[in-house]
């Protein structure tokens, strides 16, 4: 089944199989490169890798406006419930959360996670199965050797990998990650949003993996 993949900027995506639409890390308000406003986004699910403001973003607004289900770690879901979100699906790395479109599985990531000074559980990546396709969104992370195992177990067709350096992998290490995961396509994310993040992706050229560069607002009609 074809997917419509919209890049929201920074690390955010909107992924639709034509029946269900999933937002991942929907940071729109205060995002200097975003071209969408949260009022324009329609989704059934909001999936979060961790609690930092540049990933949690407009989660509460999207959940409220769309009666969407938030899929995240236990602590983030508990916080969302305390803020009035009606539907949550908590999980943590190691298992799957089954949904009408497929499933969401959380993976390890090496990073921190907090929101407005509040602890928000462990940071994670996630594997999304939707429309018969599998996508790995690494969240914010350093390079780690178990990415090879994530690739072997999840076998994602698309890997969305942070490349901005300083807070995550830089382009060279993200290239190594892509070569370990072995997806068909690698999408560089978490770069160029602010001057602290690199915009030089010249070292992101993994062997055997096609790089799909997306600008904020770009739509990719993916058929596999």
């Amino acid at each position: 089944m074809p997917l419509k993949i919209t890049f929201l900027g920074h690390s955010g995506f909107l992924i639709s199989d034509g029946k269900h639409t999933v937002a991942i890390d929907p940071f729109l308000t205060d995002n200097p490169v975003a071209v969408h406003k949260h009022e324009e986004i329609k989704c059934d699910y909001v999936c979060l890798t961790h609690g930092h403001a540049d990933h949690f973003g407009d989660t509460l607004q999207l959940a409220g406006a769309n009666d969407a289900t938030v899929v995240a770690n236990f602590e983030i879901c508990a916080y969302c419930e305390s803020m009035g979100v009606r539907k949550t699906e908590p999980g943590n790395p190691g298992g799957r959360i089954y949904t009408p479109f497929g499933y969401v599985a959380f993976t390890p990531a090496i990073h921190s996670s907090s929101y407005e000074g509040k602890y928000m559980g462990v940071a994670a990546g996630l594997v999304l199965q939707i429309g018969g396709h599998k996508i790995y969104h690494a969240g914010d992370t350093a390079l780690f050797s178990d990415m090879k195992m994530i690739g072997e177990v999840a076998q994602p067709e698309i890997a969305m990998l942070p490349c901005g350096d300083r807070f995550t992998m830089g382009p060279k290490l993200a290239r190594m990650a892509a070569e370990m995961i072995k997806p068909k396509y690698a999408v560089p994310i978490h770069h160029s949003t602010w001057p602290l993040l690199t915009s030089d992706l010249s070292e992101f050229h993994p062997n055997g993996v096609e790089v799909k560069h997306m600008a904020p607002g770009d739509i990719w009609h993916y058929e596999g």
Side-chain angles (χ1 to χ4, degrees):
M1 183 181 297
L3 298 179
K4 180 182 178 182
I5 302 173
T6 304
F7 184 41
L8 300 177
H10 197 53
S11 295
F13 289 88
L14 205 61
I15 301 173
S16 177
D17 64 0
K19 185 176 181 182
H20 300 97
T21 301
V22 178
I24 301 177
D25 288 358
F27 171 48
L28 301 170
T29 304
D30 299 325
N31 180 344
V33 300
V35 298
H36 296 84
K37 298 183 183 300
H38 66 78
E39 295 90 348
E40 303 168 26
I41 302 298
K42 304 298 180 186
C43 61
D44 308 293
Y45 289 82
V46 179
C47 297
L48 300 173
T49 61
H50 64 294
H52 286 160
D54 60 327
H55 295 258
F56 187 85
D58 295 77
T59 293
L60 297 179
Q61 293 91 331
L62 294 187
N66 295 281
D67 197 27
T69 301
V70 174
V71 183
N73 69 35
F74 177 83
E75 289 80 5
I76 291 175
C77 285
Y79 174 77
C80 288
E81 290 167 8
S82 76
M83 298 300 291
V85 174
R86 294 194 323 110
K87 299 177 183 177
T88 64
E89 288 283 358
N92 259 316
R96 292 179 179 178
I97 299 169
Y98 291 95
T99 68
F101 59 76
Y103 66 77
V104 180
F106 291 105
T107 69
I110 301 176
H111 197 63
S112 57
S113 178
S114 61
Y115 185 70
E116 296 182 347
K118 181 179 178 62
Y119 173 66
M120 283 291 194
V122 298
L126 62 84
V127 175
L128 180 72
Q129 185 189 60
I130 181 170
H133 304 286
K134 285 188 282 188
I135 298 170
Y136 171 46
H137 189 299
D140 280 3
T141 188
L143 177 70
F144 58 99
S145 60
D146 280 352
M147 284 181 165
K148 184 175 186 294
M149 182 179 293
I150 291 171
E152 292 171 352
V153 172
Q155 298 183 340
E157 298 162 53
I158 300 169
M160 298 162 171
L161 301 173
C163 295
D165 213 353
R166 183 178 282 253
F167 301 105
T168 69
M169 301 181 288
K172 182 177 180 179
L173 296 185
R175 181 192 77 204
M176 295 171 65
E179 291 172 351
M180 285 194 285
I181 299 161
K182 294 182 168 55
K184 292 180 182 177
Y185 298 92
V187 182
I189 60 174
H190 203 277
H191 64 85
S192 310
T193 312
W194 297 283
L196 280 177
L197 303 181
T198 188
S199 58
D200 179 6
L201 301 185
S202 58
E203 291 189 286
F204 188 65
H205 47 79
N207 292 323
V209 179
E210 184 172 342
V211 176
K212 178 71 173 180
H213 291 281
M214 298 186 73
D218 279 357
I219 296 173
W220 182 13
H221 293 283
Y222 177 76
E223 298 188 7

